Amino acid sequence: MAVVEMMGMSLIGPRQEIEALAAELLTLGNFEPVPLEFALERRPASLSSGGARISTFQKNPYDDLLDKLVYVWNEAGAEFPAERACSRGTPSLSWEECSRQVLDVAKKIDLWKKRAEVLEEEREKLMAAGAFLDALASADRDVEETLKTRYLSITFGRLSAENYKKLEEMAAVTPLLVYPVVAEKGYVLAIVFCSRDYLEEAEKIFRTVYLKEYALGDLFEGAGTNLRERLRERQLDSERAIRALRDAPRNYLGRRRKELERLYCAVHSLQRVYALCQKRGEMSGIFVLSGVIPAPTLGEVAEKVEQLGPNTLLLSEKGAELEKRGRQLPTLLRNNFLVRTFQEIVALYSLPSYGETDPSPLVALSFCLFFGFMFGDVGHGFLLAAGAWWLARKGILKKAFASVIRIAGVSAMVFGFLYGSVFGSEEILPSLWTSPMHGISDLIQTSLFVGVAFLSMGIIINILALKREGRTGKMLFDGEGVAGLLFYWTAAVTAAMAFTSGGGAPKPLLAVLGLLFLVILFSSVLERLLFGPQEKDEGGVVHTFTVFHDLLSFLSNTASFVRLAAFALNHAGLSAAVFMLSDMVHSLPGGALFRAAVLLLGNIVIVGLEGLIVFIQTLRLEYYEFFSKFYHGGGRPFAPVTWNAKRQD
Amino acid sequence: MSFLAAGERAAVTAKARVYRGRLLAPSDYLRLLEFETVGEIAAYLAKTEAYAPYITEPSPETLHRGDLEAIINSVPLLEEIPFCRYLGPERCALLRAWGERFDVDVIKRVLRMITTGVGNRETLRRRVASVPITVADGEKLLAAESLREVLESLRGYPLYDILAEPLKKIAKEGGTLFRPKMAMDAFFLTRILSGGKKLPGSEGRGVRQIFGTRADLINMYWIYRSRRFFSLTPEEALGLTLPVRYRLKFDTLSSFAFAPDVPSMVKLLRTGIYGEAFRTSGGNEVPEVGEMTLEHNLYRILWKTASAIFRSGSAGVHVVFAYLTLRELEVKDLFTIIEDVRYHYDRKKAREFLIHPAAASFAGREREVEPSWL
């Protein structure tokens, strides 16, 4: 359980073997590629024969090919082949072969598309000519006469509505006359008049407003009486041809589906293999591949190398070694189902950095405890769990988040039995422990005890982490080290005795507290005296304030846990208020109905609103009180390359 | 409903203010300018609150210039996304339109690659993998090898209608990408501004202030460049302006464009609302402001506008836009610094071209080159 140990791993071998091994690594899903220098920095001997000649790569040669195939499928409007159905291995096709086949297909599709576009232009022009003819007809003008004016230049074209507005604006400061003919779908077909002397300047303006000019002279050449009809026929011919060309890719794919699907699978597989090999080094056909893997999977990889790479060298390096060289390793968490659910809560704060203690198991325990303590009710807990299950089933709530709420609901039910509370009523079930309304002092004492226990646990984890890091001085004398823990426990016992005995705090305990305070205050001095110069000193003033802050936070953090009791009481109080309200409306006409409505709405508010508040308070206790004692986070998730996620790298 | 809108506004404003607090401090700029290599810059940025979440390479010091620029360039876009979670559909659509400007950058780069052969498709692929684009079919766009294919990748998206004509024309007759690029910029500014008009009170005013100013500056700048450097006719210069106006109305822009000659135009520009951009500390006596200084002054006006939004104390999506504008300008400053470090320019001189006024004036900035409006 917890943060999985990682290792640096490098494979050096002939291309074919590395490709086959990369396919296996994709299936195992345990390899995150890293640049060569990351893992091979201390391996000059392995590469001494040609270290200087290693060329490195960044580009995946199969990306472009896959893009082209995607383009083919998109043009055909067909469904992509199921990638899961593709065989997971290295196909025998070479890059050159793949490239030739893919380009052949893409070229065909391109040709059809270009032809369709030419025809589309033609059709657009014919439509514009039709609109022009209609406009002239409505103005009772002859086509040939209009086009053969001597001093006037007539431009007919199409532009966006926005640019048309701009053209109109320009017409106010230039000798242009602008008239709209047809306006639809954000475009305007417009006629612009200007003198022939100004045409050169006018054309510059047309360019700035992206006016698509239609040279209609050739279309109207030899215009006869049935010109409009002839235009319509040509337009229909163009439309038919365009349709046929648009259907061509789909028909082509339909005819050669199997062959093209095989090609797609091959390119897809190789694209994934080279996504894994993207940061490789290469020298004379030998591939050098470096990455990070979870240490427990090294044996599996070694087995694969033995099977598939007789000429491949496997080099591995412990994560700790990499860390010593300043390499940040990714974090992979491995926990059982129950704890895994609460990884989300930890990740919401921050992922543990590599080597740090994963707090997920403790969060799983404490989250259930805190939530149940504050929201203990059999009925409400059941509604919460059932609601989370239903929302997750409907896809409204993320599965992981729903699991957290479900477990929180179950915990609320367990505490409901302890409190003897069902939908706020404490009269239906006998209480197995205490009831919030009648045993508030029990609850406060328990919540304080829970606080002391959890904060102590946080400090102990911090002490263990400091020990692991070899920071003995800090571990012994720091406010959040052994001295701090002893101070906290002594203070807790002193306070408990002072409150319970009524005779004030015992003097020997006060003396111990004073001594421990001095130890913590002069921790840097003691550390230097006993262990020599350690970490960079933070300065006397800062240190003093830090000490006071740390020690005061013991008090504030512990007091924070009183909220466990406060919210348990709050829950009981809110439920009582709902019952009182329902009793008040009971005497009204139709009172039974009103009562039911108040009970229903009241319980919905309790589950929804109070449930949310308690959830937030639980997170608050985790993040501020508990995590602040030991947890830093800042980890980077382990991101292996797999057969899925085409472009994750 | 208005209660929810107030909640949305308060939440995003608080977040924007927190994010603003994380922007680089003037001392960071100074430190960055002291470095000798791009790797050192990357390593330093990887430790700052503003860039640490984005520079996740295990060894940032090995990052090359292109990679580092690609990372920091995507930061404003990545930061825009989380704001949307707090906002309703109306405001979120506005914010998305802002983000789509960066998607347009991908289209521009693909177009440039096709027409000039310059650029790296792989860098773009990585950029799209980290922040998927929403204004085009990303797969098709990245695979496009002709203008026609680019256009095809836009089919079904709003930009198709905007680019169909200019791109087809270039594919057929040749020419520069200037007009399609302008068309894309105009499209997004128009969308944001028309969306901003629907927002109430200070929020709507704020959005118009940020993007209206941007539109004004672009219009003014293009008229100036068209006449000063490209010798275009007044009609052409005016035709290049965006169909969006804020404080510079069409008549004012016409008066700039139709000025009898370039010196008269500059004189008019200097007396205009944004005249400060065309002045140096010498005021109107200095004949003409340099090209780089002008561009830098225009960015400063944007910086000033965005900072004023924060000072106003109002709440709403416009504060997010103000923050994102500051972030975008910070990224531009980092690009300047990377270039200065990469080519070993004089750092003292380099500071003059930083947009962040405090960073530029930090430690020994020469006062005489500072624009008078600062």
Side-chain angles (χ1 to χ4, degrees):
Chain A
M1 287 207 304
V3 180
V4 177
E5 190 194 343
M6 306 301 282
M7 295 193 82
M9 186 190 87
S10 299
L11 292 172
I12 304 169
R15 182 178 63 84
Q16 292 87 345
E17 286 185 14
I18 296 287
E19 278 180 357
L21 284 166
E24 289 299 324
L25 290 173
L26 285 170
T27 307
L28 290 173
N30 68 341
F31 186 84
E32 182 184 316
V34 292
L36 287 187
E37 68 271 12
F38 187 99
L40 288 172
E41 203 172 52
R42 291 285 168 88
R43 297 275 187 185
S46 328
L47 303 168
S48 56
S49 57
R53 293 200 306 274
I54 292 184
S55 29
T56 50
F57 295 84
Q58 285 298 325
K59 190 172 157 49
N60 185 339
Y62 290 91
D63 278 351
D64 285 344
L65 296 185
L66 194 58
D67 284 341
K68 287 223 157 55
L69 281 178
V70 167
Y71 163 70
V72 169
W73 253 264
N74 279 336
E75 286 306 314
E79 229 172 85
F80 285 96
E83 282 159 8
R84 269 188 239 127
C86 297
S87 75
R88 297 193 156 180
T90 40
S92 53
L93 281 179
S94 68
W95 182 83
E96 285 76 16
E97 271 175 288
C98 285
S99 179
R100 188 184 51 76
Q101 290 186 28
V102 171
L103 290 180
D104 269 358
V105 180
K107 210 169 155 189
K108 274 195 184 73
I109 306 283
D110 253 357
L111 193 69
W112 291 325
K113 211 167 156 187
K114 268 184 195 156
R115 280 187 197 155
E117 269 172 16
V118 172
L119 285 170
E120 189 71 56
E121 288 257 320
E122 173 77 13
R123 190 180 68 97
E124 206 179 83
K125 193 174 169 185
L126 290 167
M127 280 172 70
F132 186 68
L133 276 185
D134 293 343
L136 286 183
S138 64
D140 209 14
R141 302 282 305 185
D142 178 64
V143 184
E144 283 186 44
E145 221 176 72
T146 309
L147 293 177
K148 282 176 188 162
T149 48
R150 200 165 157 197
Y151 299 106
L152 196 66
S153 162
I154 303 173
T155 308
F156 181 63
R158 179 173 175 266
L159 73 173
S160 71
E162 208 155 67
N163 280 324
Y164 178 76
K165 263 190 222 158
K166 201 167 151 189
L167 186 62
E168 274 188 322
E169 256 183 351
M170 294 293 287
V173 288
T174 51
L176 292 178
L177 278 174
V178 183
Y179 293 102
V181 177
V182 183
E184 56 176 15
K185 292 179 186 166
Y187 282 94
V188 179
L189 276 172
I191 301 179
V192 188
F193 299 95
C194 70
S195 81
R196 288 201 181 270
D197 297 342
Y198 192 71
L199 186 60
E200 204 179 317
E201 290 304 315
E203 278 174 348
K204 288 175 184 169
I205 296 173
F206 298 157
R207 276 201 293 275
T208 65
V209 291
Y210 313 112
L211 178 84
K212 184 179 182 182
E213 209 178 312
Y214 294 116
L216 302 175
D218 53 336
L219 280 179
F220 297 145
E221 201 67 36
T225 43
N226 56 352
L227 179 60
R228 188 75 184 88
E229 196 47 45
R230 273 191 285 130
L231 284 178
R232 201 165 285 132
E233 271 171 28
R234 281 178 67 180
Q235 196 180 322
L236 285 172
D237 286 346
S238 300
E239 277 166 8
R240 267 195 295 275
I242 290 167
R243 264 200 306 277
L245 285 165
R246 296 248 185 267
D247 288 343
R250 194 171 51 242
N251 297 336
Y252 179 75
L253 190 70
R255 281 197 307 274
R256 302 181 55 189
R257 181 170 288 275
K258 278 201 172 148
E259 187 188 329
L260 288 172
E261 280 187 356
R262 260 201 307 276
L263 180 63
Y264 182 91
C265 278
V267 172
H268 177 263
S269 299
L270 286 164
Q271 194 272 343
R272 293 317 299 148
V273 165
Y274 274 83
L276 195 132
C277 299
Q278 202 162 338
K279 291 172 180 170
R280 72 188 182 279
E282 208 178 314
M283 50 178 179
S284 334
I286 300 291
F287 275 23
V288 185
L289 197 61
S290 283
V292 176
I293 61 163
T297 64
L298 183 66
E300 229 172 326
V301 175
E303 214 172 278
K304 296 285 176 199
V305 172
E306 211 167 288
Q307 283 170 14
L308 302 167
N311 300 310
T312 298
L313 178 66
L314 168 69
L315 302 172
S316 61
E317 192 173 18
K318 285 204 164 169
E321 291 295 320
L322 290 167
E323 273 199 305
K324 262 187 212 161
R325 298 211 304 273
R327 304 295 184 194
Q328 195 205 350
L329 288 167
T331 305
L332 173 69
L333 299 178
R334 191 156 290 162
N335 289 303
N336 62 37
F337 164 74
L338 186 74
V339 175
R340 201 161 51 234
T341 306
F342 288 89
Q343 276 175 203
E344 287 277 319
I345 299 285
V346 177
L348 201 65
Y349 183 86
S350 180
L351 199 68
S353 57
Y354 182 76
E356 195 177 10
T357 308
D358 174 18
S360 307
L362 286 171
V363 169
L365 176 74
S366 55
F367 196 94
C368 294
L369 178 67
F370 299 162
F371 192 91
F373 204 116
M374 289 190 271
F375 200 69
D377 189 294
V378 178
H380 293 148
F382 174 76
L383 284 183
L384 201 64
W389 172 80
W390 185 77
L391 288 173
R393 202 165 161 224
K394 290 275 162 197
I396 299 167
L397 213 59
K398 260 174 71 180
K399 271 188 181 165
F401 190 58
S403 296
V404 170
I405 297 179
R406 255 198 331 262
I407 295 168
V410 172
S411 167
M413 285 168 73
V414 171
F415 272 84
F417 283 114
L418 292 175
Y419 296 157
S421 171
V422 186
F423 290 114
S425 164
E426 296 184 358
E427 286 148 20
I428 302 170
L429 282 178
S431 111
L432 298 178
W433 172 39
T434 185
S435 100
M437 287 305 253
H438 306 108
I440 188 65
S441 71
D442 284 349
L443 287 180
I444 290 176
Q445 280 169 22
T446 313
S447 61
L448 285 173
F449 177 77
V450 169
V452 173
F454 267 91
L455 293 181
S456 303
M457 209 179 321
I459 301 168
I460 290 169
I461 296 172
N462 191 44
I463 291 170
L464 294 176
L466 290 170
K467 185 175 182 295
R468 221 174 22 241
E469 290 163 22
R471 296 159 76 186
T472 319
K474 202 166 171 58
M475 179 193 83
L476 291 175
F477 308 125
D478 193 63
E480 283 171 355
V482 174
L485 182 63
L486 291 175
F487 180 90
Y488 181 47
W489 283 347
T490 315
V493 172
T494 311
M497 288 175 80
F499 281 114
T500 51
S501 69
K507 282 189 181 137
L509 286 181
L510 286 176
V512 173
L513 271 179
L515 184 69
L516 286 168
F517 172 72
L518 289 175
V519 169
I520 295 167
L521 188 63
F522 295 104
S523 58
S524 332
V525 181
L526 286 169
E527 211 178 319
R528 255 201 313 276
L529 281 174
L530 292 173
F531 302 100
Q534 299 275 304
E535 297 153 42
K536 201 183 158 205
D537 210 347
E538 58 192 356
V541 180
V542 177
H543 177 75
T544 310
F545 276 101
T546 310
V547 168
F548 277 103
H549 171 264
D550 285 350
L551 300 185
L552 281 174
S553 72
F554 284 144
L555 179 68
S556 61
N557 291 158
T558 312
S560 246
F561 277 86
V562 175
R563 78 186 64 227
L564 290 177
F567 275 93
L569 185 66
N570 177 50
H571 180 79
L574 208 59
S575 303
V578 171
F579 278 120
M580 278 158 67
L581 208 61
S582 69
D583 287 342
M584 281 162 69
V585 295
H586 190 53
S587 52
L588 296 174
L593 202 66
F594 280 122
R595 183 178 183 170
V598 167
L599 283 173
L600 185 72
L601 277 176
N603 280 292
I604 288 171
V605 168
I606 289 173
V607 174
L609 194 64
E610 208 207 332
L612 177 71
I613 293 169
V614 167
F615 187 82
I616 292 167
Q617 293 302 329
T618 309
L619 284 184
R620 195 202 178 286
L621 286 174
E622 298 286 355
Y623 292 162
Y624 291 95
E625 265 64 55
F626 187 43
F627 280 13
S628 65
K629 293 286 169 259
F630 67 99
Y631 189 62
H632 301 288
R636 182 173 64 82
F638 176 58
V641 182
T642 63
W643 285 110
N644 305 321
K646 213 171 66 186
R647 296 271 160 72
Q648 71 189 17
D649 43 353
Chain B
M1 213 53 187
S2 59
F3 175 74
L4 287 179
E8 278 175 31
R9 289 162 58 178
V12 292
T13 304
K15 196 173 171 73
R17 285 185 177 276
V18 170
Y19 272 28
R20 191 200 179 201
R22 292 181 187 169
L23 290 176
L24 294 179
S27 55
D28 289 319
Y29 286 95
L30 195 66
R31 189 82 191 86
L32 287 166
L33 277 168
E34 282 168 3
F35 291 129
E36 290 300 322
T37 64
V38 175
E40 285 176 308
I41 293 179
Y44 184 82
L45 289 176
K47 284 180 196 149
T48 60
E49 218 178 344
Y51 293 92
Y54 309 103
I55 305 177
T56 53
E57 302 290 315
S59 328
E61 64 281 357
T62 60
L63 276 175
H64 294 295
R65 180 188 168 183
D67 295 331
L68 179 62
E69 286 183 346
I71 291 170
I72 58 176
N73 206 23
S74 62
V75 169
L77 181 57
L78 289 168
E79 287 188 337
E80 165 250 318
I81 300 164
F83 280 104
C84 245
R85 291 184 198 140
Y86 299 87
L87 295 170
E90 196 184 22
R91 290 175 174 83
C92 188
L94 259 186
L95 213 51
R96 289 237 166 89
W98 186 88
E100 283 167 358
R101 281 175 50 234
F102 291 85
D103 293 356
V104 161
D105 187 50
V106 176
I107 301 177
K108 285 179 184 173
R109 284 162 72 178
V110 172
L111 289 173
R112 194 163 55 231
M113 256 186 279
I114 291 167
T115 51
T116 64
V118 177
N120 183 348
R121 218 172 268 262
E122 204 42 46
T123 315
L124 280 186
R125 214 180 277 286
R126 281 206 297 275
R127 146 77 174 80
V128 174
S130 62
V131 193
I133 61 171
T134 52
V135 296
D137 181 328
E139 299 277 347
K140 279 188 182 178
L141 178 67
L142 290 175
E145 273 167 7
S146 66
L147 297 182
R148 203 177 47 78
E149 285 175 8
V150 171
L151 200 53
E152 207 44 49
S153 72
L154 298 170
R155 200 179 278 278
Y157 294 89
L159 271 178
Y160 181 85
D161 292 339
I162 307 295
L163 291 181
E165 223 36 68
L167 285 185
K168 279 181 188 167
K169 204 159 193 161
I170 294 173
K172 209 183 271 177
E173 299 164 13
T176 67
L177 291 171
F178 176 77
R179 287 176 208 284
K181 284 179 182 173
M182 280 289 283
M184 285 190 265
D185 292 339
F187 175 69
F188 285 108
L189 271 179
T190 315
R191 252 169 60 144
I192 294 175
L193 275 167
S194 57
K197 275 181 196 162
K198 292 175 197 153
L199 295 176
S202 63
E203 205 177 13
R205 271 200 304 281
V207 172
R208 287 197 297 281
Q209 192 180 339
I210 295 173
F211 293 99
T213 306
R214 199 182 271 258
D216 279 353
L217 296 180
I218 292 173
N219 284 338
M220 191 174 69
Y221 186 53
W222 278 115
I223 290 177
Y224 171 77
R225 281 174 65 89
S226 308
R227 297 218 48 203
R228 172 73 182 79
F229 299 110
F230 307 130
S231 306
L232 299 187
T233 60
E235 288 90 341
E236 277 180 295
L238 198 56
L240 284 176
T241 56
L242 304 173
V244 177
R245 326 257 185 255
Y246 179 53
R247 291 170 75 192
L248 294 179
K249 306 293 180 209
F250 184 75
D251 291 346
T252 318
L253 292 174
S254 314
S255 70
F256 294 156
F258 282 95
D261 48 37
V262 174
S264 338
M265 178 184 64
V266 173
K267 211 170 172 183
L268 272 174
L269 287 165
R270 275 183 180 159
T271 51
I273 301 164
Y274 303 105
E276 60 210 284
F278 291 86
R279 291 194 292 261
T280 62
S281 59
N284 291 341
E285 304 311 313
V286 178
E288 215 173 311
V289 70
E291 174 70 352
M292 273 175 77
T293 311
L294 171 61
E295 202 170 308
H296 168 262
N297 286 352
L298 294 172
Y299 282 134
R300 282 270 182 99
I301 293 178
L302 278 185
W303 193 93
K304 208 170 106 178
T305 311
S307 299
I309 297 276
F310 275 99
R311 277 201 307 277
S312 73
S314 55
V317 74
H318 63 300
V319 184
V320 180
F321 281 127
Y323 164 71
L324 292 170
T325 304
L326 291 178
R327 187 64 143 159
E328 196 185 342
L329 295 174
E330 181 181 271
V331 167
K332 280 193 193 304
D333 269 347
L334 285 176
F335 273 47
T336 308
I337 291 172
I338 291 169
E339 197 172 335
D340 293 337
V341 169
R342 171 73 181 77
Y343 295 107
H344 305 289
Y345 291 143
D346 176 4
R347 307 298 155 81
K348 222 171 173 186
K349 196 85 187 147
R351 273 206 300 273
E352 291 169 15
F353 292 100
L354 294 181
I355 301 161
H356 192 305
S361 61
F362 196 85
R365 161 103 159 74
E366 290 90 338
R367 300 301 302 173
E368 66 269 20
V369 289
E370 191 172 3
S372 54
W373 47 264
L374 280 178

